[in-house]
Amino acid sequence: MNLLNFLKIDVITSLLSGRLVRERIGPAMLSAVQSQMGAVEVSFEEIPNMFDTGGSKGLAGDRVEKIPKDFQLGETVRSLPHCHHMFHLPCIDEWLVRHGSCPLCRRDL
């Protein structure tokens, strides 16, 4: 599968899951609304985020740095089709010999 087909599938998957709206369109719309409201001199802290899904908020930078990094420069990883989860090559190859699914989301390959 070439890169263009991969990107098309990723966009369609993003649309179906709502990820595209949450991660790309939502913030862009919020920014546009905020810039328009800025002309009216309204404090943004007083306006609730209309795209807030009620989920947890972002982590502080020091907490993000404490999360282990799995992949190192020079390592080979395999990106699974459909879900695109990535794993160390020896780990995932051993898994795939025994199972026909992603170990993370369990989607069949």
Side-chain angles (χ1 to χ4, degrees):
M1 177 180 297
N2 66 29
L3 181 59
L4 184 59
N5 287 339
F6 174 75
L7 293 174
K8 287 178 186 176
I9 290 170
D10 188 51
V11 168
I12 291 169
T13 303
S14 298
L15 283 169
L16 293 175
S17 70
R19 190 181 87 216
L20 185 65
V21 173
R22 281 192 314 274
E23 294 178 3
R24 302 285 185 209
I25 298 171
M29 289 178 61
L30 179 59
S31 176
V33 168
Q34 288 176 337
S35 67
Q36 291 296 319
M37 295 180 83
V40 195
E41 296 185 29
V42 176
S43 171
F44 298 129
E45 289 77 30
E46 298 171 11
I47 302 170
N49 181 347
M50 68 179 85
F51 299 106
D52 190 2
T53 59
S56 62
K57 304 298 179 206
L59 298 175
D62 61 330
R63 290 193 58 203
V64 171
E65 286 301 316
K66 289 179 184 178
I67 297 173
K69 300 172 186 96
D70 279 341
F71 302 118
Q72 302 296 321
L73 187 62
E75 290 182 326
T76 303
V77 297
R78 187 179 304 281
S79 176
L80 298 181
H82 310 299
C83 65
H84 310 293
H85 290 126
M86 294 191 311
F87 302 93
H88 294 106
L89 191 67
C91 301
I92 193 61
D93 285 356
E94 185 175 329
W95 170 269
L96 292 174
V97 168
R98 295 187 180 117
H99 307 88
S101 62
C102 172
L104 187 61
C105 68
R106 306 299 283 184
R107 187 171 181 180
D108 287 335
L109 300 179

